Amino acid sequence: MSEGVFTIAAKRPIREEMTISRNTGLGTSNSATWFSLGAGTSITPESYDTMSIYIGAAGTGTFLIGEQPETMDLHPDEILLVPERTLCGVKTGEGCIYTEIITKKENTMNDLVKAKEVLNLKELISYEEGSIANVDIVHNDTMKFVLMAFDEGTGLTPHRAPGNAILTALEGTAVIGYEGTDYTLNAGESFRFEKNGLHSVTAKGRFKMSLLLVLE
C-alpha cells in the first residue's frame, strides 16, 4: 500500500558528516536510490555501463562529469543524464538530496534532453488549454520517467498502472485518490503507489508532476 504523501528529504534526511543512500524499493530491473550528502561531503567519481539519471530534491549537489571533470550544479526539480561509461562524482557545500536511477537496459531519450546538461523539469513541459500533456523524458521496456502538465479542471479518472511508481508534484496542487482515500499533494511532495493500485489525479488549478514508473 501507499504510505501517503511524503518528501524525499524526510525519507532520507541529511546527516552531518555523512553520505547515505536508501533504495526506493520500486523494483530490481532498474536501480532507483535516494542519496543524502551532509555539508562538505562527497562521493568519489565512478562509472556505470549504462546511463545514470540524477534528479535534485533538496540543496545543491555539484556533479563532476568525465575524466577531466566538468562541474554541474544540480538543484531541486532539475535533472541530469550521464552517459554510460562516464565518470561521475558529486560534492556539496551546504548538503544535498537527490534521486539516482541506474538503468540496466538500453534507453530511449526525448530530444528535449541532452546528456551532461542540467535541465529544469518544469520547463520541459507546457500547459495545453483544457488538456493533459505528457512528455516521456527517458524510457526502456522496464522503466519510464514521464512529465505531465494538467490544465485547470482536468484530471485522470481512477485507473491501475502495471508497475510500482512515485509521482512528485513540480508545480501547483492536486488531489491524489488512492484505493478510496484522497490525499492533497503540493509542489515538492511525493506519493508512491503500488502495482495495480487504483489511483486518480485531480488538478486544483494548473498542476505539473513527474512520474517514475517501474514495469516489472
Side-chain angles (χ1 to χ4, degrees):
M1 288 291 292
S2 163
E3 299 177 14
V5 176
F6 65 91
T7 65
I8 295 173
K11 287 282 189 182
R12 185 51 277 146
I14 291 172
R15 301 300 188 203
E16 186 176 356
E17 303 295 334
M18 299 175 71
T19 65
I20 308 173
S21 62
R22 175 175 177 172
N23 193 300
T24 63
L26 286 180
T28 58
S29 294
N30 300 276
S31 170
T33 306
W34 293 316
F35 278 82
S36 68
L37 278 68
T41 64
S42 64
I43 294 177
T44 302
E46 55 192 9
S47 65
Y48 299 97
D49 288 343
T50 55
M51 176 190 293
S52 53
I53 303 166
Y54 300 91
I55 305 165
T60 301
T62 299
F63 282 74
L64 297 86
I65 312 296
E67 296 282 350
Q68 302 296 322
E70 301 177 64
T71 59
M72 301 178 187
D73 287 342
L74 185 73
H75 303 100
D77 298 333
E78 292 181 337
I79 186 170
L80 169 65
L81 280 67
V82 177
E84 65 275 7
R85 298 182 179 86
T86 302
L87 283 174
C88 177
V90 61
K91 61 182 181 180
T92 181
E94 64 185 66
C96 68
I97 300 171
Y98 59 88
T99 300
E100 176 191 73
I101 304 167
I102 307 298
T103 63
K104 297 185 178 178
K105 296 196 175 184
E106 185 176 351
N107 302 283
T108 300
M109 290 171 51
N110 192 298
D111 289 340
L112 290 171
V113 296
K114 306 295 182 186
K116 298 195 292 186
E117 288 186 10
V118 175
L119 298 166
N120 187 293
L121 290 170
K122 289 185 292 186
E123 295 175 359
L124 295 177
I125 189 167
S126 62
Y127 293 108
E128 301 296 328
E129 184 177 358
S131 305
I132 302 170
N134 295 262
V135 172
D136 283 7
I137 297 301
V138 61
H139 64 90
N140 59 42
D141 61 2
T142 61
M143 179 275 296
K144 293 180 72 171
F145 184 70
V146 183
L147 301 180
M148 302 183 71
F150 296 74
D151 196 19
E152 186 173 3
T154 64
L156 300 175
T157 56
H159 63 285
R160 302 181 191 275
N164 299 328
I166 291 177
L167 63 84
T168 299
L170 302 172
E171 183 173 87
T173 300
V175 173
I176 308 300
Y178 187 81
E179 296 290 356
T181 301
D182 289 341
Y183 302 85
T184 298
L185 191 71
N186 298 301
E189 296 177 330
S190 297
F191 192 91
R192 173 176 174 153
F193 57 85
E194 304 298 322
K195 181 178 180 179
N196 293 322
L198 185 64
H199 63 281
S200 62
V201 180
T202 304
K204 297 300 182 182
R206 286 184 156 187
F207 176 69
K208 290 183 180 181
M209 72 178 204
S210 67
L211 174 68
L212 174 59
L213 176 64
V214 175
L215 304 166
E216 296 187 354

